[in-house]
Amino acid sequence: MKKIEIMGCGYIGLPTAVVFALAGYEVCGFDVKPDTVEQLNGGKIHIVEPGLQEAMDEAMATGRLHFSTEAEPADVFIIAVQTPYRETGDGKRVSDMGYVEAAARSVGAVIQKGGLCVLESTSPPYSTRLVESIVSETSGLAPEDFMTAHCPERIIPGRMLIELRENDRIIGAPRPESAEYTKGIYEKVLTKGVIRTTDDLTAEMCKLTENTFRDINIAFANELSKVCDRLGVDVFQLIELANCHPRVNVHTPGVGVGGHCIAVDPWFIHEKFEDITPLIYEARTINDGKPEWVAERIARDVEPGAKVAVLGMSFKANIDDIRESPSVVFSRILQARGYEVIVCEPYVKGPVAGFENHCLEDALACCDYAVITLKHNVFQEKKDLIAAKPHYDCVGLLR
């Protein structure tokens, strides 16, 4: 089996490293953070994900998994670092490829002739070719002397280990032979899914398309929630009834859209094709504006100065990840408007985004009003306790 090096050991890289090691590969997890590497080499994970610690224990016991702050020679390199955005100053956002570029330079320093570099990080079109040029320049190898490919990650927190093994994978490469070689690497990990090969640009656009579709659908649902508020109609019942139609699938509204995929990926298309993607831009504007609308909506029920409990601060239910969380944005808007904000996020230990974190019972006991922003299991188990407080339900938890 070949040696695989995972560049970046965060929410995507760590579970990826674990499943490749369990599939029989020798795996090195590379990360620039010494504390993270030390903790991982000690056998302890640093993110919350069901089953990951147990899988990590099993992988470490094989002797095939270790972590390092120094890039090592390997047969295959998989770049799984973050691709954040930066503000342009006009309300738009563009990708920040700095982490990908740095990872590509690290790969270039150790890759050998015949090696493979796979970009998993979600990126704008032409990013795989950018990685290829950086690796070539750093290594001194001609592009035809090594292989590059794009295999976008397609997993969600809470189901990472399952989806890494069972979801279909898309592999795209500038050369068909590189795609086929990469397919052979990933096939040993999959237990259920199908691997489909294409060119690199199509693979890059596939991941962006998946999340942009969902963003646009959620924007429609969020607009419906505003219309229904004026009509006095239950938007959740409306969507449930509409979805009885066999060709309709309206998503669920909420306080906005968060996470490092749906809230970010549409911008990667828009930045490259700004003149022909007005729908993508409008959907992003609608979803980014939803926290402000919810703040205006609850102002009809409770005045500034009141104690408002925000129930849920992660970007989706039952996880600890608060990246791009609309609940965080919403809480800061309330605070700026003069409300005393009391947050409850049961999946995070300690403070959240600068707010003291309370258990559900304490948050409800001391608040005047509650805003339900997520369908956490612990909230669903205590619906009656929440419903006893004056509240606004963003997600239909209490239906």
Side-chain angles (χ1 to χ4, degrees):
M1 297 290 279
K2 300 181 182 299
K3 179 178 178 180
I4 296 180
E5 187 158 350
I6 309 297
M7 313 300 290
C9 295
Y11 284 94
I12 302 300
L14 178 58
T16 299
V18 168
V19 297
F20 270 94
L22 292 176
Y25 291 102
E26 179 188 351
V27 178
C28 171
F30 168 82
D31 201 279
V32 297
K33 299 176 182 176
D35 291 347
T36 296
V37 168
E38 182 179 359
Q39 180 176 338
L40 293 175
N41 276 326
K44 299 298 181 182
I45 66 173
H46 63 299
I47 60 176
V48 175
E49 177 63 26
L52 182 57
Q53 183 61 65
E54 293 78 6
M56 173 81 158
D57 294 342
E58 184 181 351
M60 294 293 280
T62 68
R64 293 192 297 267
L65 177 62
H66 73 280
F67 301 88
S68 176
T69 56
E70 298 290 333
E72 301 177 1
D75 303 295
V76 179
F77 299 86
I78 297 177
I79 296 177
V81 297
Q82 61 179 308
T83 47
Y85 60 75
R86 56 182 175 81
E87 303 283 352
T88 61
D90 57 357
K92 298 175 183 177
R93 300 169 181 176
V94 296
S95 57
D96 179 355
M97 296 296 289
Y99 294 99
V100 169
E101 292 170 1
R105 285 191 289 272
S106 295
V107 171
V110 292
I111 194 171
Q112 298 173 350
K113 189 174 182 178
L116 168 66
C117 180
V118 181
L119 175 64
E120 278 208 13
S121 304
T122 306
S123 308
Y126 299 106
S127 295
T128 306
R129 299 180 192 187
L130 171 66
V131 167
E132 181 182 72
S133 67
I134 293 173
V135 172
S136 177
E137 180 182 353
T138 307
S139 66
L141 296 172
E144 58 268 23
D145 289 336
F146 63 95
M147 293 172 282
T148 53
H150 183 57
C151 182
E153 58 86 7
R154 305 172 98 194
I155 59 177
I156 60 171
R159 289 179 50 85
M160 288 183 172
L161 295 175
I162 296 171
E163 297 197 349
L164 278 168
R165 295 184 173 110
E166 297 186 2
N167 282 5
D168 288 2
R169 299 303 296 258
I170 308 297
I171 293 174
R175 291 177 286 160
E177 59 269 26
S178 299
E180 286 300 318
Y181 182 84
T182 308
K183 179 180 178 181
I185 300 296
Y186 279 81
E187 278 179 332
K188 293 179 173 61
V189 172
L190 290 191
T191 60
K192 190 176 181 180
V194 175
I195 296 179
R196 307 171 193 274
T197 59
T198 183
D199 62 273
D200 52 315
L201 289 174
T202 301
E204 289 165 345
M205 280 298 296
C206 186
K207 173 63 183 294
L208 302 181
T209 298
E210 293 161 9
N211 285 329
T212 301
F213 164 78
R214 296 174 66 196
D215 192 49
I216 292 170
N217 196 319
I218 295 169
F220 175 57
N222 279 333
E223 276 204 343
L224 278 182
S225 71
K226 300 176 187 179
V227 173
C228 289
D229 182 70
R230 288 194 186 177
L231 289 172
V233 168
D234 181 343
V235 66
F236 301 101
Q237 182 188 35
L238 169 65
I239 291 174
E240 182 180 306
L241 294 173
N243 284 347
C244 290
H245 192 291
R247 291 181 295 279
V248 174
N249 180 26
V250 182
H251 287 8
T252 304
V255 71
V257 173
H260 195 60
C261 288
I262 302 179
V264 176
D265 295 357
W267 290 114
F268 293 174
I269 300 177
H270 184 70
E271 73 171 80
K272 298 291 187 182
F273 308 101
E274 192 171 318
D275 59 325
I276 52 175
T277 54
L279 177 62
I280 293 174
Y281 175 75
E282 286 301 322
R284 281 281 72 240
T285 301
I286 290 166
N287 289 332
D288 281 349
K290 191 66 184 299
E292 185 77 36
W293 182 88
V294 176
E296 292 174 359
R297 169 60 185 81
I298 71 166
R300 303 204 312 250
D301 297 341
V302 61
E303 296 180 353
K307 297 179 180 178
V308 176
V310 178
L311 306 184
M313 292 289 278
S314 56
F315 81 79
K316 68 185 293 286
N318 303 321
I319 66 169
D320 69 326
D321 193 347
I322 65 169
R323 289 179 297 174
E324 313 302 326
S325 170
S327 298
V328 172
V329 175
F330 171 65
S331 298
R332 289 171 177 162
I333 291 171
L334 289 183
Q335 191 176 58
R337 289 182 171 216
Y339 294 92
E340 184 176 340
V341 179
I342 303 162
V343 309
C344 171
E345 179 42 73
Y347 288 86
V348 174
K349 296 179 180 179
V352 184
F355 293 94
E356 183 181 354
N357 196 4
H358 298 76
C359 70
L360 179 61
E361 290 79 5
D362 288 350
L364 292 174
C366 64
C367 76
D368 303 307
Y369 190 93
V371 181
I372 308 157
T373 61
L374 289 171
K375 283 187 175 180
H376 282 327
N377 288 343
V378 66
F379 297 162
Q380 299 196 60
E381 292 165 2
K382 299 182 179 180
K383 287 182 180 181
D384 293 343
L385 188 64
I386 298 171
K389 278 285 184 180
H391 62 267
Y392 183 75
D393 187 354
C394 296
V395 292
L397 177 87
L398 301 181
R399 290 192 70 245

